[in-house]
Amino acid sequence: MTYSIGELSREFGVTLRTLRFYEDKGLLNPRREGLNRIYSRRDRARLKLVLMGKKVGFSLVEIKEILDLYDMKDGEVLQMQVALDKFEGQVAVLKRQREEIEHAIDELSQTMDAVRQILTQKQDEQKQAGEAA
């Protein structure tokens, strides 16, 4: 099965420019028929992996390294080991980021509580001043 650039663009919600960019970076390799790009099932699968990799925070260079290992003929053992190592590293990064985000949310929530208290005080003072006048 083959896909046009428009079909992949619509299916994955990316722009044509994005697909051409990924092609320029060597992540996709559609064949050409005149001016048309014809994407294979392999290209579609690679695009899906690129987008998943980006979603979890991998750089395009890291994604390309993982994808390029698929082209090696080592029975996929090296590819799976490298991919697993990268995935474990990225999980650690994401967990650290989650902890930092949770800490930031806690701090911001405490600040919001303090501001609410001050605001309530000020509103009460204004209300009392208005009643006294």
Side-chain angles (χ1 to χ4, degrees):
M1 179 163 212
T2 60
Y3 308 88
S4 71
I5 193 169
E7 289 171 328
L8 286 184
S9 171
R10 282 187 297 279
E11 179 179 353
F12 290 98
V14 297
T15 65
L16 303 180
R17 185 177 195 174
T18 297
L19 292 173
R20 290 189 294 266
F21 177 76
Y22 291 160
E23 182 182 346
D24 289 342
K25 295 296 180 187
L27 297 166
L28 303 175
N29 190 24
R31 76 175 195 271
R32 299 290 187 124
E33 289 183 7
L35 296 176
N36 296 322
R37 289 171 168 84
I38 307 297
Y39 293 88
S40 65
R41 292 173 74 163
R42 179 178 181 271
D43 288 315
R44 184 185 173 279
R46 286 175 69 97
L47 176 59
K48 189 172 185 174
L49 289 171
V50 167
L51 296 174
M52 184 273 303
K54 283 188 54 170
K55 187 175 186 178
V56 299
F58 284 113
S59 71
L60 290 181
V61 170
E62 291 170 317
I63 293 167
K64 184 170 183 349
E65 288 172 0
I66 294 169
L67 291 175
D68 286 349
L69 290 169
Y70 276 102
D71 297 332
M72 295 177 70
K73 304 294 184 217
D74 71 342
E76 298 181 2
V77 171
L78 176 63
Q79 179 270 328
M80 286 194 274
Q81 185 59 56
V82 170
L84 184 59
D85 291 345
K86 288 186 178 290
F87 296 163
E88 288 172 345
Q90 191 61 22
V91 165
V93 167
L94 293 171
K95 284 181 178 180
R96 277 193 308 275
Q97 288 176 340
R98 180 177 59 197
E99 289 171 7
E100 291 170 4
I101 289 169
E102 288 172 355
H103 182 69
I105 289 170
D106 288 344
E107 286 185 354
L108 188 55
S109 294
Q110 290 173 8
T111 302
M112 289 168 46
D113 290 342
V115 170
R116 278 191 189 99
Q117 287 178 343
I118 293 168
L119 179 61
T120 300
Q121 262 183 334
K122 297 290 184 187
Q123 289 171 333
D124 288 346
E125 289 171 7
Q126 282 181 349
K127 185 177 177 184
Q128 288 173 0
E131 291 173 358

